[in-house]
């Protein structure tokens, strides 16, 4: 596992590194509230060429991102508010996972049994207002 401590202004480089070193198109982001999970997803969407600004799908559970030509790039899930895995299953998570698009999942511990074994775990930690650590 690789650990990097970075400043917020280094996030685009960190996002590019993660995407380049990927082991899977399914990236599971772990970390406390405020650790930078959504901010990292926004940076990865930008690196991928996404035209959408990116925001947390906390209330809608999933966001979809496209490039300038309208091509689907990624799905971004935030399972913080779900009560059980059935809610994710009813949402059609399995279909999203089989889409071939990038999949970014915040709070994956809430749906662990539904995530394929071929996924990459990313652990984020808040250090201070401008500094985070990431392990992948």
């Amino acid at each position: 596992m690789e650990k990097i401590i970075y400043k917020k202004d280094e996030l685009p480089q960190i996002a590019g590194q993660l995407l380049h070193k990927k082991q899977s198109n399914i990236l599971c982001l772990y970390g406390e509230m405020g650790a930078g999970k959504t901010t990292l997803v926004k940076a990865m969407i930008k690196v991928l060429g996404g035209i959408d600004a990116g925001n947390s799908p906390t209330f809608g559970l999933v966001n979809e991102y496209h490039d300038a030509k309208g091509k689907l790039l990624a799905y971004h899930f935030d399972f913080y508010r779900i009560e059980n895995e059935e809610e994710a299953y009813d949402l059609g998570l399995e279909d999203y996972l089989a889409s071939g698009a990038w999949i970014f999942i915040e709070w994956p511990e809430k749906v662990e049994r539904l995530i394929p074994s071929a996924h990459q775990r990313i652990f984020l930690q808040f250090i201070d207002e401008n500094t985070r650590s990431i392990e992948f």
Side-chain angles (χ1 to χ4, degrees):
M1 200 172 264
E2 187 173 341
K3 182 175 184 173
I4 300 171
I5 295 175
Y6 65 94
K7 301 285 183 192
K8 284 185 178 181
D9 63 347
E10 298 172 302
L11 193 55
Q13 294 89 347
I14 298 299
Q17 243 185 303
L18 280 171
L19 293 169
H20 178 72
K21 292 182 176 187
K22 75 168 181 101
Q23 298 170 356
S24 170
N25 67 313
I26 302 169
L27 305 181
C28 295
L29 296 102
Y30 297 84
E32 296 298 318
M33 191 77 73
K37 298 179 296 294
T38 299
T39 304
L40 176 60
V41 171
K42 288 178 184 183
M44 289 190 287
I45 294 299
K46 191 170 186 174
V47 168
L48 290 170
I51 57 168
D52 307 294
N55 58 5
S56 177
T58 301
F59 294 100
L61 297 181
V62 62
N63 284 344
E64 195 173 288
Y65 300 101
H66 299 86
D67 67 13
K69 295 180 180 178
K71 179 184 173 202
L72 174 67
L73 293 175
Y75 293 109
H76 176 197
F77 296 89
D78 184 333
F79 291 124
Y80 179 74
R81 296 196 185 280
I82 68 166
E83 297 294 323
N84 55 54
E85 288 180 339
E86 270 186 48
E87 287 181 51
Y89 185 78
D90 290 344
L91 177 70
L93 180 61
E94 290 177 324
D95 293 329
Y96 289 107
L97 293 171
S99 71
W102 284 92
I103 305 288
F104 305 114
I105 303 175
E106 295 186 44
W107 304 99
E109 55 272 30
K110 294 197 165 203
V111 295
E112 283 181 330
R113 293 184 306 165
L114 301 177
I115 299 172
S117 59
H119 67 275
Q120 185 168 348
R121 294 172 189 242
I122 299 169
F123 300 90
L124 293 141
Q125 185 175 15
F126 178 91
I127 295 175
D128 64 38
E129 283 303 315
N130 292 309
T131 312
R132 304 289 192 273
S133 74
I134 187 168
E135 289 184 67
F136 57 98

